[in-house]
Amino acid sequence: MNEKELLTKAVENGNRNDAQCLTRVLLEQGLAPLEIVEQALMPAMAVVGEKFKTGEIFVPEMLIAARAMKEAMVLLEPLMTKAGIKPKYTAVIGTVQGDLHDIGKNLVAMMWKGANFGVVDLGVNVPPDRFVAAVKEHNPHLIGLSALLTTTMPAMRTTVAAVRQAGFTSVKILIGGAPISEEFAREIGADGYSPDAGSAVDGAKKLLAN
Amino acid sequence: MSRYTTLAISEPNELRFGLAPKPLTTRHGMQIGGGTVYPELNFTLPPILVNAQTMPEIQRHYRQIITGALQRAVELECHGLVVEFETLPPMTENPVWGVDLAKILVDAMGEANAKHGLKSVLRMTPNDTREMERPPRMRTGQLWEAMLKTFEGAAAAGAELLSIESVGGKEVHDEALMIGDVRQVIFALCVMGTRDMRFLWTELGQIAQRHGVHCAGDTACGFGNTAMVMAEQRMIPRVFAAVVRAISAVRTLACYECGSVGPGKDCGYENPILKAITGFPMAMEGKTAACAHLSPLGNIAAATCDTWSNESVQNIKLLGGMAPTCYLEQLIYDCRLMNEALADGRDAALMYRNWMVRSDAARDPQAFVLTPENSIAIARSIVCAPNDFAAGKAAALTAISLLREGQRAGAVKIAAREQPWLDTMEEAVGSLPTTESEFINQMMGVVDTTKFVARDYGLAG
Ligand code: B1M
């Protein structure tokens, strides 16, 4: 196994020290930060994501791998920022106004981070104007809205409308939460719906590919 | 405040539906836990914004819900009905809205009593809106004041049972679930949670006393049920969720130590453990609450219930009628069967209870820890412990060892990939310090202290 493959294994196994050491070695060998991300880290998270999807591991185990990746990213991120390299996709996510259910939204954010999206998490009870302000500030490719209450579903509609009215017509909007459906997403003008955190990565990628 | 040091029910065959050592008698004369299981109906709005403009429409919804439900209860000769009004957050932030809606319900219930002799009682469950602010202010501020006003107004309007799904400790617990850290679970539930519960329920006790109503009880919904729903979605192991459930009983117990008398809140699946400790009647929900969330506890939940609930259903039209009416009908039939078994005597009731227990217990660790025998074993470990922290550790270790023994005896199925979690949890709990102060010192360096205001929990920041 070469160092790149060893780094992939270290992240897969959640081995934080090895992840950082091997990243350092690869940088010293002259590999570009983006190459390390794309050729070693992303394949590791893809394996971990697949294991989660097939029920081989649970979220806490996936998070151990994510933390190992974070250790590597601590070294890589400053270099990439300096070189003007951004994650391929940036997303803004939040639970809509009036709604405090956050764990589902947190899980979606975690999955997106695992897929190397840049994620700006606005938290819970987020009014439409804060979403609009965040879109102005971060210029994301994707907005994620979560709602768990029937009485906060209308806040999703107002948020979608506010974003569109502010002139952000090309940013994709993905929504989810226990009372939400594909049909509701269509009705309020969102671009897509995902039933769970696992499918929210594929769902987002599909929207972004269009 | 007094600590429970003994069990009210120590014999598994005494832990059963419809009977509690300390029943509660309501103004209409319902004896909850006195030999009859009552349906408890809960309902919510379909998609609609809650604000001043929509309030007339919202009032129409609640009027329609209660009229339909009471009419069906009369038609089905229901012995008595608990109605739960779980408010939605704007109704707690604007107490007048919540209280006016409570009045609509109480008035209709009074009328049905006068006209048809239908006995009923209103449980008022305002939201714990303190967490609308992050980090939450647990003991002061506008949100706290408005929440207390909602309780006060509803109690004055005739809501006889006060409940809440309180969230103290959730700031830390959510992360504990995501990372599967049982030490952090114990810190959230048995250090932060119990401290908040004692503060909150002492305040609620004063409101109840002023209006001659009852503190009914709290629930670890935001803890145990979040874990359960996550386990259902295969996010965390079922054995982990089962152990969280056992520990959560320590947190919920604090409301009874501060004067609550039941019936405990429906979504507290830890209630069988609490019934064994306190002897107070308990609400439970299971198969007839699938409208609100799925669970692996559909039948076993009913085995020890005193009121039987649907948790929540939207006021939408189904083929049979409006959904709350349809669900009430289901609850009434569930209760009829339990009451028929009770009427046939102890052996018949026990046989029916055992069927409900056996049909679920072996299939899921979360059901297994709630069999009457296991609930009592966990309850005993809690009352034998000198403080909340020790009780949390004891509940966790007891649940783990029950699961191991159960698996060895072929009494519960545990998936192979969940096995290592029993060892991990046991090691983590086993390595905890002996005193609470050492534990607090240790955990304040582990948890994210920016997420909560330590002094609101009586902790040094
Ligand atoms: C961007 O793209 C995407 C894509 C996918 C997305 C997505 C975004 N967002 C979510 N997903 C999806 O992926 C996630 C991971 O797979 C999934 O997320 P979920 O959040 O569904 O799943 C989580 C992993 C686990 N699920 C949960 O944690 C929610 C479970 C249930 C039981 C629930 C819980 C635990 C809680 N609650 Co709440 N709660 C319920 C829930 C019942 C249910 N059917 O969901 C529900 C939603 N609650 C309800 C209610 C009434 C309330 N709750 C409240 C509070 C709470 C707790 C704090 C106690 C706790 C919060 C847990 C938390 N940390 O967030 C209150 C409201 C607070 C507020 N302002 O929001 C309160 C009003 C109760 C009260 N009396 O105070 C009901 C809704 C009724 C309605 N009108 O709609 C409810 C159906 C339960 C019930 N009573 O029947 C998917 O939905």
Side-chain angles (χ1 to χ4, degrees), chain B residues 370-421:
Chain B
L370 294 181
T371 65
E373 290 76 9
N374 292 343
S375 296
I376 286 175
I378 295 166
R380 187 169 285 118
S381 74
I382 292 173
V383 295
C384 288
N387 56 47
D388 300 338
F389 164 56
K393 281 203 291 187
L397 290 174
T398 306
I400 294 168
S401 103
L402 288 169
L403 287 168
R404 279 196 202 288
E405 282 164 29
Q407 189 188 24
R408 228 172 279 135
V412 62
K413 219 166 46 194
I414 298 178
R417 69 186 180 123
E418 299 212 355
Q419 299 287 342
W421 279 84

Side-chain angles (χ1 to χ4, degrees), chain A residues 100-102 146 150 197, chain B residues 44 86 89 127 174 226 233 235 292 311-312:
Chain A
L100 298 173
H101 294 85
D102 48 5
S146 179
T150 51
Chain B
T44 191
E86 222 177 274
N127 319 97
D174 275 1
T226 306
Q233 295 184 18
M235 302 255 173
E311 155 113 67
S312 191

Side-chain angles (χ1 to χ4, degrees), chain A residues 15-29:
Chain A
N15 195 331
R16 288 205 247 175
N17 288 342
D18 285 3
Q20 205 169 51
C21 266
L22 287 159
T23 305
R24 210 170 274 129
V25 171
L26 287 170
L27 284 171
E28 280 162 10
Q29 287 177 359

Side-chain angles (χ1 to χ4, degrees), chain A residues 51-52 55-61 63 67 98-103 106-107 110 124-125 149-155 158 179 184 195-198, chain B residues 44-50 88-90 128-129 131-134 170 173-175 177-180 226 230 233-238 314 417-418 421:
Chain A
K51 278 191 185 163
F52 174 69
E56 222 180 292
I57 57 168
F58 295 106
V59 164
E61 289 142 345
L63 275 175
R67 282 184 175 185
D99 207 314
L100 298 173
H101 294 85
D102 48 5
I103 207 156
N106 293 346
L107 286 160
M110 178 199 82
V124 294
N125 191 20
L149 297 174
T150 51
T151 49
T152 55
M153 288 166 71
T158 6
F184 180 70
D196 52 51
Chain B
T44 191
L45 294 167
I48 182 173
L49 263 183
V50 181
L88 287 151
D128 194 344
T129 39
E131 65 158 346
M132 300 292 284
E133 202 183 325
R134 302 269 169 112
K170 180 172 158 281
H173 196 266
D174 275 1
E175 195 194 60
L177 292 182
M178 300 259 287
I179 61 175
T226 306
M230 286 177 78
Q233 295 184 18
R234 296 159 197 253
M235 302 255 173
I236 59 172
R238 286 164 191 271
Q314 296 179 51
R417 69 186 180 123
E418 299 212 355
W421 279 84

Side-chain angles (χ1 to χ4, degrees), chain B residues 361-374:
Chain B
R363 294 188 162 87
D364 193 296
Q366 298 172 87
F368 184 71
V369 294
L370 294 181
T371 65
E373 290 76 9
N374 292 343

Side-chain angles (χ1 to χ4, degrees), chain B residues 40 115 123 253 305 426 433 437:
Chain B
E40 176 157 352
K115 254 199 205 155
R123 183 201 294 269
L253 180 62
C305 75
E426 197 168 44
S437 58

Side-chain angles (χ1 to χ4, degrees), chain A residues 52 92-109 111-112 124-125 142-153 156 173-180 192-201, chain B residues 42-47 62 84-90 92-93 125-129 131-132 134 163-167 170 173-174 177-178 219-231 233 235 265-267 285 289-294 310-314:
Chain A
F52 174 69
V92 162
I93 191 167
T95 302
V96 297
Q97 187 163 33
D99 207 314
L100 298 173
H101 294 85
D102 48 5
I103 207 156
K105 180 264 300 164
N106 293 346
L107 286 160
V108 174
M111 298 298 283
W112 283 353
V124 294
N125 191 20
L142 178 68
I143 301 176
L145 305 179
S146 179
L148 265 281
L149 297 174
T150 51
T151 49
T152 55
M153 288 166 71
M156 264 187 174
I173 303 180
L174 183 79
I175 66 172
I180 307 303
Y193 154 77
S194 284
D196 52 51
S199 64
V201 174
Chain B
N42 189 341
F43 35 77
T44 191
L45 294 167
Y62 282 90
E84 183 184 17
F85 175 25
E86 222 177 274
T87 64
L88 287 151
T92 307
E93 285 173 272
T125 308
N127 319 97
D128 194 344
T129 39
E131 65 158 346
M132 300 292 284
R134 302 269 169 112
S163 276
I164 187 168
E165 300 184 5
S166 72
V167 294
K170 180 172 158 281
H173 196 266
D174 275 1
L177 292 182
M178 300 259 287
T219 156
C221 178
F223 307 83
N225 295 0
T226 306
M228 178 172 74
V229 176
M230 286 177 78
Q233 295 184 18
M235 302 255 173
K265 175 95 174 80
D266 53 0
C267 54
E285 61 187 43
C291 46
H293 63 79
L294 305 181
N310 66 318
E311 155 113 67
S312 191
V313 69
Q314 296 179 51

Side-chain angles (χ1 to χ4, degrees), chain B residues 109-120:
Chain B
M109 290 158 71
E111 226 172 89
N113 182 249
K115 254 199 205 155
H116 307 288
L118 176 67
K119 295 175 185 168
S120 63

